[in-house]
Amino acid sequence: MDSTADRPKSHLFYQTRQRRPLLDRAEGIYMWDASGKRYLDGSSGAMVVNIGHGNPNVLAAMRAQMDKATFGYRLHFETEAAEELARRTALRMPAGLDRIFFVSGGSEAVESCIKLARQYALAMGQEQRWKVISRTPSYHGSTLGALALTGTATMTQPFAPMMQEMPKIPAPTCYLDRDNYSDEERGLRYAEHLREEILRQGPESVLAFIVEPVGGASTGALVPPDSYLPRIREICDEFGILLIYDEVMTGAGRTGRFLGADHWPAARPDIMALSKGFAAGYAPLGAMAADGRIVEAVLDAGGFIHGYTYAGNPLACAAGLAVLDELERLDLPANAARRGESLRAALHGLMDRFPFIGDVRGLGLLQAFELVSDRETMEPLPRELNAHARLVDIAFDKGLIIYSRRTRGGHKGDHFMVCPPLIVEEAQIDELIGLLGDSLEALAREAGLPVSG
């Protein structure tokens, strides 16, 4: 039996002192701890393992690259893996975003985006542009630059004296609105917050607007009205500011298309951040994709003042290339679209059983549900129930991994990401929903929450 109490003291530390079982192996959508207990990975880790665990084709490609070289510094060598991954990635981007810069993760990708945007402004003689507007709630990374864009006070407040916090506008949380507007009208009204903030800050000082096309963990898979992003694009064009998409979570097929951007082609970004599913957990890898005109202007002005030791690492790029092969070979974005519809319908079925589920939302296999005290008013559950952590622990004990956050300022509003690997089959969705239903039953008994039927 793998008891955390029996294991020696760990010299590792993370967010808390909580210990977890020792991982033994993983395959497909399942993981096993050292005692042999199996877990269904219902969140793809942290929405990372898009092609599933232990893919033999990816592992073979990584072994082949290991036989050649595991490291080649970008100032000394070009590598076939990095060059080919950049070419193939550019083919998947919106028109014009044909220049790729590799990094090791999502925070680095976002940092790269805002640094490129700033250097482009300098190259164009617009030194006064430096403000990057983002949304609240939002999450864009844990480094100080990315954290300055993050709209979650519980994460940013401790570091406020150490960073230049950026302006924020409300995310389009239409599911909380109680008005008579249509979805199209709501999308336009939320987009206008950007225009108002640009005018408030002074248009000449605003550099860019950064947005997740579909919200990640900070908003619980928030899908904007179809009118929202095209209007955002128009506003950016009106004031000559750059539009940056944070596709760290939405990229690599998660939403049912290769990019979240692909759902709204009229709202083409200027710069994009990718990571998570881009290498699907097989190696630390992320990327920035940028419009060639931006990159060329920066290079002409003296070069991109930025970089990381592992940028373009050949082993990571070989993994990323093999992941891309698998996404294409298995047509996993299409499977995400199909299975996402089934998963969403099943989550709505749970709403019928559990009146404290107030909303189900998402796109593809980026799905989430939110718990509330009152479905009509969307009043959150009492904070002291700590439901966002408790349901995760109950589910984990039952062999299901899900991912939670608190939507409303980080203090309340319990929501849960249900985002299995894109290889998930229909029977496995049924298994996931069965485990989740059992977990919700246990939470309801424990917290005295109502259950129907």
PDB file of all heavy atoms in Angstrom, residues 413-431:
ATOM      1  N   GLY A 413     -16.824  31.009  -5.369  1.00  0.00           N
ATOM      2  CA  GLY A 413     -17.218  30.620  -6.713  1.00  0.00           C
ATOM      3  C   GLY A 413     -16.478  29.372  -7.146  1.00  0.00           C
ATOM      4  O   GLY A 413     -15.467  29.446  -7.843  1.00  0.00           O
ATOM      5  N   ASP A 414     -16.946  28.206  -6.727  1.00  0.00           N
ATOM      6  CA  ASP A 414     -16.221  26.944  -6.932  1.00  0.00           C
ATOM      7  C   ASP A 414     -16.526  26.361  -8.310  1.00  0.00           C
ATOM      8  O   ASP A 414     -17.678  26.018  -8.602  1.00  0.00           O
ATOM      9  CB  ASP A 414     -16.633  25.933  -5.861  1.00  0.00           C
ATOM     10  CG  ASP A 414     -16.509  26.505  -4.454  1.00  0.00           C
ATOM     11  OD1 ASP A 414     -15.384  26.612  -3.965  1.00  0.00           O
ATOM     12  OD2 ASP A 414     -17.551  26.857  -3.862  1.00  0.00           O
ATOM     13  N   HIS A 415     -15.489  26.254  -9.150  1.00  0.00           N
ATOM     14  CA  HIS A 415     -15.709  25.594 -10.433  1.00  0.00           C
ATOM     15  C   HIS A 415     -14.653  24.531 -10.664  1.00  0.00           C
ATOM     16  O   HIS A 415     -13.571  24.548 -10.065  1.00  0.00           O
ATOM     17  CB  HIS A 415     -15.767  26.598 -11.593  1.00  0.00           C
ATOM     18  CG  HIS A 415     -14.447  27.202 -11.951  1.00  0.00           C
ATOM     19  ND1 HIS A 415     -14.089  28.479 -11.598  1.00  0.00           N
ATOM     20  CD2 HIS A 415     -13.405  26.720 -12.661  1.00  0.00           C
ATOM     21  CE1 HIS A 415     -12.884  28.753 -12.057  1.00  0.00           C
ATOM     22  NE2 HIS A 415     -12.444  27.695 -12.705  1.00  0.00           N
ATOM     23  N   PHE A 416     -14.976  23.605 -11.586  1.00  0.00           N
ATOM     24  CA  PHE A 416     -14.169  22.399 -11.787  1.00  0.00           C
ATOM     25  C   PHE A 416     -13.971  22.164 -13.276  1.00  0.00           C
ATOM     26  O   PHE A 416     -14.932  22.168 -14.046  1.00  0.00           O
ATOM     27  CB  PHE A 416     -14.851  21.192 -11.137  1.00  0.00           C
ATOM     28  CG  PHE A 416     -15.116  21.397  -9.670  1.00  0.00           C
ATOM     29  CD1 PHE A 416     -16.245  22.074  -9.245  1.00  0.00           C
ATOM     30  CD2 PHE A 416     -14.200  20.978  -8.723  1.00  0.00           C
ATOM     31  CE1 PHE A 416     -16.482  22.310  -7.903  1.00  0.00           C
ATOM     32  CE2 PHE A 416     -14.417  21.208  -7.375  1.00  0.00           C
ATOM     33  CZ  PHE A 416     -15.556  21.878  -6.959  1.00  0.00           C
ATOM     34  N   MET A 417     -12.726  21.969 -13.665  1.00  0.00           N
ATOM     35  CA  MET A 417     -12.389  21.687 -15.053  1.00  0.00           C
ATOM     36  C   MET A 417     -12.469  20.181 -15.282  1.00  0.00           C
ATOM     37  O   MET A 417     -11.879  19.385 -14.537  1.00  0.00           O
ATOM     38  CB  MET A 417     -10.976  22.169 -15.366  1.00  0.00           C
ATOM     39  CG  MET A 417     -10.684  23.620 -14.999  1.00  0.00           C
ATOM     40  SD  MET A 417     -11.632  24.820 -15.941  1.00  0.00           S
ATOM     41  CE  MET A 417     -10.889  24.627 -17.555  1.00  0.00           C
ATOM     42  N   VAL A 418     -13.223  19.792 -16.324  1.00  0.00           N
ATOM     43  CA  VAL A 418     -13.337  18.392 -16.722  1.00  0.00           C
ATOM     44  C   VAL A 418     -12.818  18.321 -18.160  1.00  0.00           C
ATOM     45  O   VAL A 418     -13.527  18.651 -19.103  1.00  0.00           O
ATOM     46  CB  VAL A 418     -14.782  17.882 -16.622  1.00  0.00           C
ATOM     47  CG1 VAL A 418     -14.831  16.379 -16.895  1.00  0.00           C
ATOM     48  CG2 VAL A 418     -15.360  18.184 -15.237  1.00  0.00           C
ATOM     49  N   CYS A 419     -11.573  17.911 -18.297  1.00  0.00           N
ATOM     50  CA  CYS A 419     -10.855  18.049 -19.567  1.00  0.00           C
ATOM     51  C   CYS A 419      -9.967  16.821 -19.815  1.00  0.00           C
ATOM     52  O   CYS A 419      -8.736  16.900 -19.728  1.00  0.00           O
ATOM     53  CB  CYS A 419      -9.976  19.290 -19.545  1.00  0.00           C
ATOM     54  SG  CYS A 419     -10.816  20.808 -19.026  1.00  0.00           S
ATOM     55  N   PRO A 420     -10.564  15.672 -20.098  1.00  0.00           N
ATOM     56  CA  PRO A 420      -9.751  14.468 -20.306  1.00  0.00           C
ATOM     57  C   PRO A 420      -8.908  14.567 -21.568  1.00  0.00           C
ATOM     58  O   PRO A 420      -9.146  15.446 -22.423  1.00  0.00           O
ATOM     59  CB  PRO A 420     -10.806  13.363 -20.431  1.00  0.00           C
ATOM     60  CG  PRO A 420     -12.025  14.066 -20.939  1.00  0.00           C
ATOM     61  CD  PRO A 420     -11.995  15.426 -20.291  1.00  0.00           C
ATOM     62  N   PRO A 421      -7.919  13.707 -21.730  1.00  0.00           N
ATOM     63  CA  PRO A 421      -7.133  13.694 -22.965  1.00  0.00           C
ATOM     64  C   PRO A 421      -8.019  13.559 -24.197  1.00  0.00           C
ATOM     65  O   PRO A 421      -9.103  12.959 -24.140  1.00  0.00           O
ATOM     66  CB  PRO A 421      -6.222  12.480 -22.784  1.00  0.00           C
ATOM     67  CG  PRO A 421      -6.063  12.359 -21.294  1.00  0.00           C
ATOM     68  CD  PRO A 421      -7.402  12.745 -20.742  1.00  0.00           C
ATOM     69  N   LEU A 422      -7.551  14.099 -25.306  1.00  0.00           N
ATOM     70  CA  LEU A 422      -8.358  14.141 -26.527  1.00  0.00           C
ATOM     71  C   LEU A 422      -8.560  12.769 -27.147  1.00  0.00           C
ATOM     72  O   LEU A 422      -9.369  12.630 -28.076  1.00  0.00           O
ATOM     73  CB  LEU A 422      -7.712  15.071 -27.557  1.00  0.00           C
ATOM     74  CG  LEU A 422      -7.280  16.466 -27.081  1.00  0.00           C
ATOM     75  CD1 LEU A 422      -6.876  17.338 -28.261  1.00  0.00           C
ATOM     76  CD2 LEU A 422      -8.352  17.141 -26.246  1.00  0.00           C
ATOM     77  N   ILE A 423      -7.874  11.751 -26.648  1.00  0.00           N
ATOM     78  CA  ILE A 423      -8.059  10.384 -27.138  1.00  0.00           C
ATOM     79  C   ILE A 423      -9.219   9.685 -26.446  1.00  0.00           C
ATOM     80  O   ILE A 423      -9.521   8.532 -26.749  1.00  0.00           O
ATOM     81  CB  ILE A 423      -6.783   9.541 -26.940  1.00  0.00           C
ATOM     82  CG1 ILE A 423      -6.425   9.454 -25.449  1.00  0.00           C
ATOM     83  CG2 ILE A 423      -5.621  10.105 -27.751  1.00  0.00           C
ATOM     84  CD1 ILE A 423      -5.331   8.454 -25.129  1.00  0.00           C
ATOM     85  N   VAL A 424      -9.907  10.352 -25.527  1.00  0.00           N
ATOM     86  CA  VAL A 424     -10.945   9.720 -24.719  1.00  0.00           C
ATOM     87  C   VAL A 424     -12.029   9.111 -25.611  1.00  0.00           C
ATOM     88  O   VAL A 424     -12.407   9.678 -26.641  1.00  0.00           O
ATOM     89  CB  VAL A 424     -11.547  10.732 -23.716  1.00  0.00           C
ATOM     90  CG1 VAL A 424     -12.359  11.816 -24.422  1.00  0.00           C
ATOM     91  CG2 VAL A 424     -12.366  10.025 -22.654  1.00  0.00           C
ATOM     92  N   GLU A 425     -12.526   7.943 -25.203  1.00  0.00           N
ATOM     93  CA  GLU A 425     -13.584   7.253 -25.928  1.00  0.00           C
ATOM     94  C   GLU A 425     -14.920   7.430 -25.200  1.00  0.00           C
ATOM     95  O   GLU A 425     -14.950   7.833 -24.033  1.00  0.00           O
ATOM     96  CB  GLU A 425     -13.242   5.769 -26.064  1.00  0.00           C
ATOM     97  CG  GLU A 425     -11.942   5.518 -26.826  1.00  0.00           C
ATOM     98  CD  GLU A 425     -11.510   4.061 -26.791  1.00  0.00           C
ATOM     99  OE1 GLU A 425     -12.207   3.249 -26.137  1.00  0.00           O
ATOM    100  OE2 GLU A 425     -10.483   3.741 -27.410  1.00  0.00           O
ATOM    101  N   GLU A 426     -16.006   7.099 -25.891  1.00  0.00           N
ATOM    102  CA  GLU A 426     -17.339   7.324 -25.318  1.00  0.00           C
ATOM    103  C   GLU A 426     -17.528   6.555 -24.015  1.00  0.00           C
ATOM    104  O   GLU A 426     -18.069   7.088 -23.036  1.00  0.00           O
ATOM    105  CB  GLU A 426     -18.402   6.921 -26.331  1.00  0.00           C
ATOM    106  CG  GLU A 426     -19.767   7.531 -26.074  1.00  0.00           C
ATOM    107  CD  GLU A 426     -19.802   9.037 -26.319  1.00  0.00           C
ATOM    108  OE1 GLU A 426     -19.003   9.550 -27.118  1.00  0.00           O
ATOM    109  OE2 GLU A 426     -20.648   9.709 -25.677  1.00  0.00           O
ATOM    110  N   ALA A 427     -17.077   5.312 -23.978  1.00  0.00           N
ATOM    111  CA  ALA A 427     -17.234   4.516 -22.760  1.00  0.00           C
ATOM    112  C   ALA A 427     -16.446   5.120 -21.601  1.00  0.00           C
ATOM    113  O   ALA A 427     -16.857   5.016 -20.435  1.00  0.00           O
ATOM    114  CB  ALA A 427     -16.788   3.078 -23.012  1.00  0.00           C
ATOM    115  N   GLN A 428     -15.326   5.736 -21.908  1.00  0.00           N
ATOM    116  CA  GLN A 428     -14.523   6.356 -20.859  1.00  0.00           C
ATOM    117  C   GLN A 428     -15.169   7.628 -20.343  1.00  0.00           C
ATOM    118  O   GLN A 428     -15.022   7.960 -19.165  1.00  0.00           O
ATOM    119  CB  GLN A 428     -13.118   6.622 -21.391  1.00  0.00           C
ATOM    120  CG  GLN A 428     -12.348   5.343 -21.687  1.00  0.00           C
ATOM    121  CD  GLN A 428     -11.066   5.588 -22.448  1.00  0.00           C
ATOM    122  OE1 GLN A 428     -10.951   6.526 -23.250  1.00  0.00           O
ATOM    123  NE2 GLN A 428     -10.072   4.738 -22.215  1.00  0.00           N
ATOM    124  N   ILE A 429     -15.896   8.331 -21.196  1.00  0.00           N
ATOM    125  CA  ILE A 429     -16.666   9.481 -20.724  1.00  0.00           C
ATOM    126  C   ILE A 429     -17.746   9.011 -19.761  1.00  0.00           C
ATOM    127  O   ILE A 429     -17.982   9.623 -18.712  1.00  0.00           O
ATOM    128  CB  ILE A 429     -17.261  10.264 -21.910  1.00  0.00           C
ATOM    129  CG1 ILE A 429     -16.145  11.022 -22.631  1.00  0.00           C
ATOM    130  CG2 ILE A 429     -18.349  11.233 -21.437  1.00  0.00           C
ATOM    131  CD1 ILE A 429     -16.596  11.790 -23.841  1.00  0.00           C
ATOM    132  N   ASP A 430     -18.388   7.899 -20.086  1.00  0.00           N
ATOM    133  CA  ASP A 430     -19.388   7.332 -19.174  1.00  0.00           C
ATOM    134  C   ASP A 430     -18.756   6.979 -17.832  1.00  0.00           C
ATOM    135  O   ASP A 430     -19.341   7.225 -16.763  1.00  0.00           O
ATOM    136  CB  ASP A 430     -20.013   6.084 -19.792  1.00  0.00           C
ATOM    137  CG  ASP A 430     -20.875   6.392 -21.013  1.00  0.00           C
ATOM    138  OD1 ASP A 430     -21.263   7.556 -21.190  1.00  0.00           O
ATOM    139  OD2 ASP A 430     -21.129   5.454 -21.801  1.00  0.00           O
ATOM    140  N   GLU A 431     -17.560   6.394 -17.882  1.00  0.00           N
ATOM    141  CA  GLU A 431     -16.856   6.047 -16.645  1.00  0.00           C
ATOM    142  C   GLU A 431     -16.534   7.298 -15.837  1.00  0.00           C
ATOM    143  O   GLU A 431     -16.728   7.341 -14.612  1.00  0.00           O
ATOM    144  CB  GLU A 431     -15.572   5.280 -16.979  1.00  0.00           C
ATOM    145  CG  GLU A 431     -14.775   4.869 -15.754  1.00  0.00           C
ATOM    146  CD  GLU A 431     -13.426   4.243 -16.115  1.00  0.00           C
ATOM    147  OE1 GLU A 431     -13.118   4.126 -17.325  1.00  0.00           O
ATOM    148  OE2 GLU A 431     -12.689   3.885 -15.174  1.00  0.00           O
TER     149      GLU A 431
END
